[in-house]
Amino acid sequence: MNRSAHTPDTSAAQPLAAATPAVISVSPASGSTSGGNTVTVTGTGFTGATAVRFGATPSSFTVNSDTQITATTPSGTGTVQVTVTTPSGTSNQFVTYAYVTTPAPVLSSVVPASGPAAGGTSVTLAGSGFSGATVVRFGAVSASFVVNSGTQITATAPAGSGTVQVSVTGPGGTSNGVPFTYTTAWVPVLTSVVPASGPAAGGTTVTLTGTGLATANAVRFGATPAASFTVVSDTHITAVAPAGTGTVPVTVTTPGGTSNGISYTYSGAPALSGVVPSQGPTSGGNTVTLTGVNLTGATAVTFGAAPATSFTVVSPTQITAMAPAGPPGPATLTVTTPGGTSTLPSSYFYVNTPVLTGVAPPSGPLSGGNTVTLTGVHLVEATAVRFGTTAATAFTVVSDTQITAAVPAGAAGPTDVTVTTAGGTSNAVCYRYLPAPVATTLIPNQGPTSGGITLTLTGTNLAQATAVLVGTTPAGFTVVSDSHIVVDAPPGAAGPLDVTVTTPGGISSPVTYNRVAAPGI
């Protein structure tokens, strides 16, 4: 229908009424019957809230936003509904808060009991009922903290002045107060801890160096107090390490606060498992590798009663050491670290240096291949036999006094034969490489079948002759020089025969000797 000009238009949009508040959650959802706990109420439509009730009991509160309120619980019992009231109405969701009879925390000590006014001191609170702690206060100022257990809290003191009461608030309420004094004394400073490691069992005496140490009232290895400590001066403290594990900071506390931390490492006890090589000369000087665990920080390595000439810690599982001199026989290896001492009984053997007295035969051909017998003492551990610098083709240790060896090829002339064992390398005995003999002429080169005449054999390399054969028959002979041999011609059948000379250097090429039959009648 038609509207007159003065008739109001009621079809225009009208402002919407504010929504009734809604409560979604309460955190924490329980607390002490004595009240006083701070809880966070989450939901919607909280702007302009006029009341927050726990059951029928109103609480003090602060509206943080349209979706969050912080409230302080009143005293109460049982489980009650939490509601929020605004000008738009009261929430009706059944979100509850449970009153519990959790006892209030009890604070028995605060260590250290003082610290600098600037704050920052790490303080250990001891007592009971700390589980679920929500606030630690130094006076009226909240501190950052970590709940270590139901009986211990570590807190960082905030800045402050004078003496204040430290308290802990938990689901059961707020604890008694224990005093903490803010001081204007200098905070101690540590610069070194010597030694910087020790056994897990503790007991190591450690020297702490720094400044501002004269009024120390506590020395800690991590969170554990030193077994004891003595203030030597303003720059030195001696302390006995308590038992512990891993790497921990060592700190000193004075009325001025707690120092910086210097690392101290609890070392596991060393355990040796092997040694390579396991033997060496009585003169020492060889390098030995020790294996095991927890070898880091080794302070001593001994062979029997003698300290290693030198040693290097390669890793937590390996040490290289130079063996000292020692008597023949077994020696016990010992390694000492800050974590303790480990031994390997009779694990290293000192071996006498081998001694050679002879080689037989004393000479042989350039081509080698012949077998010689070496005699001497301390040969049983032989690892090498050498002719000059050339290793024997093969060798066999027959006993502690005898070795047989296959001679390698070599150059003409004398060479040194040596034997090497873990005890070292022996003295040298002489072996001579001989060239093969050469026969060039035979005078006379013929004779009667009855033998009995003397022949002169000329050639080279004849001095070491061991046999002369006329055909296959050994002949008597006399070596006149390296180039002449006088041979007794044996009897035999008529005909030509090869005459050869044998020496340790080999067998000569033949020259011909002709037996002639007596003329017939």
Side-chain angles (χ1 to χ4, degrees):
M1 68 179 179
N2 294 329
R3 293 185 177 91
S4 62
H6 65 274
T7 302
D9 184 0
T10 59
S11 65
Q14 298 298 312
L16 297 175
T20 302
V23 174
I24 297 173
S25 66
V26 175
S27 179
S30 63
S32 170
T33 57
S34 61
N37 293 328
T38 298
V39 299
T40 299
V41 182
T42 303
T44 60
F46 291 167
T47 301
T50 58
V52 174
R53 290 182 176 84
F54 286 71
T57 307
S59 69
S60 60
F61 66 92
T62 299
V63 178
N64 302 321
S65 67
D66 192 58
T67 60
Q68 188 181 86
I69 290 174
T70 301
T72 301
T73 62
S75 60
T77 59
T79 299
V80 298
Q81 181 181 8
V82 179
T83 60
V84 175
T85 300
T86 70
S88 299
T90 298
S91 64
N92 62 4
Q93 293 74 27
F94 194 69
V95 176
T96 62
Y97 180 84
Y99 284 100
V100 295
T101 57
T102 303
V106 175
L107 187 57
S108 58
S109 67
V110 173
V111 178
S114 61
T121 302
S122 180
V123 178
T124 300
L125 284 60
S128 61
F130 291 165
S131 296
T134 55
V135 181
V136 173
R137 291 185 177 89
F138 284 65
V141 182
S142 295
S144 61
F145 67 95
V146 174
V147 177
N148 303 322
S149 68
T151 60
Q152 187 182 82
I153 290 176
T154 301
T156 301
S161 61
T163 298
V164 299
Q165 297 296 310
V166 179
S167 63
V168 176
T169 298
T174 299
S175 73
N176 58 300
V178 172
F180 179 86
T181 301
Y182 286 99
T183 67
T184 56
W186 292 102
V187 177
V189 175
L190 280 181
T191 55
S192 67
V193 172
V194 178
S197 59
T204 302
T205 298
V206 176
T207 299
L208 285 60
T209 304
T211 57
L213 309 181
T215 57
N217 51 42
V219 174
R220 290 183 178 82
F221 288 68
T224 307
S228 64
F229 70 92
T230 301
V231 176
V232 179
S233 68
D234 194 55
T235 59
H236 288 85
I237 290 176
T238 58
V240 177
T245 58
T247 298
V248 298
V250 179
T251 58
V252 173
T253 300
T254 70
T258 299
S259 72
N260 57 302
I262 299 290
S263 293
Y264 180 85
T265 300
Y266 286 100
S267 303
L272 286 175
S273 57
V275 54
V276 176
S278 60
Q279 54 187 7
T282 55
S283 59
N286 55 312
T287 298
V288 175
T289 298
L290 284 64
T291 53
V293 294
N294 299 326
L295 304 182
T296 300
T299 55
V301 175
T302 58
F303 289 66
T309 304
S310 64
F311 68 90
T312 301
V313 178
V314 178
S315 71
T317 61
Q318 188 178 93
I319 291 175
T320 58
M322 182 175 289
T332 294
L333 289 184
T334 303
V335 171
T336 301
T337 73
T341 297
S342 176
T343 61
L344 276 181
S346 301
S347 55
Y348 183 82
F349 287 80
Y350 282 101
V351 179
N352 279 310
T353 303
V355 177
L356 284 180
T357 55
V359 53
S363 57
L366 305 183
S367 60
N370 53 311
T371 298
V372 296
T373 298
L374 303 174
T375 52
V377 292
H378 311 314
L379 307 182
V380 74
E381 297 288 343
T383 56
V385 175
R386 291 183 176 84
F387 288 71
T389 59
T390 305
T393 306
F395 68 91
T396 300
V397 176
V398 178
S399 68
D400 193 51
T401 60
Q402 188 178 95
I403 292 174
T404 58
V407 181
T415 190
D416 289 336
V417 181
T418 57
V419 172
T420 298
T421 71
T425 299
S426 72
N427 59 301
V429 292
C430 184
Y431 177 83
R432 186 176 295 274
Y433 281 100
L434 298 176
V438 177
T440 54
T441 61
L442 184 64
I443 300 174
N445 62 2
Q446 61 181 10
T449 57
S450 59
I453 65 171
T454 299
L455 312 176
T456 299
L457 180 64
T458 303
T460 56
N461 306 320
L462 306 179
Q464 303 296 323
T466 57
V468 175
L469 294 180
V470 178
T472 58
T473 303
F477 67 93
T478 301
V479 176
V480 178
S481 69
D482 194 52
S483 59
H484 289 85
I485 293 177
V486 174
V487 180
D488 298 326
L497 299 166
D498 288 338
V499 178
T500 58
V501 177
T502 299
T503 74
I507 300 174
S508 70
S509 55
V511 292
T512 301
Y513 175 72
N514 192 39
R515 283 199 189 103
V516 179
I521 299 177

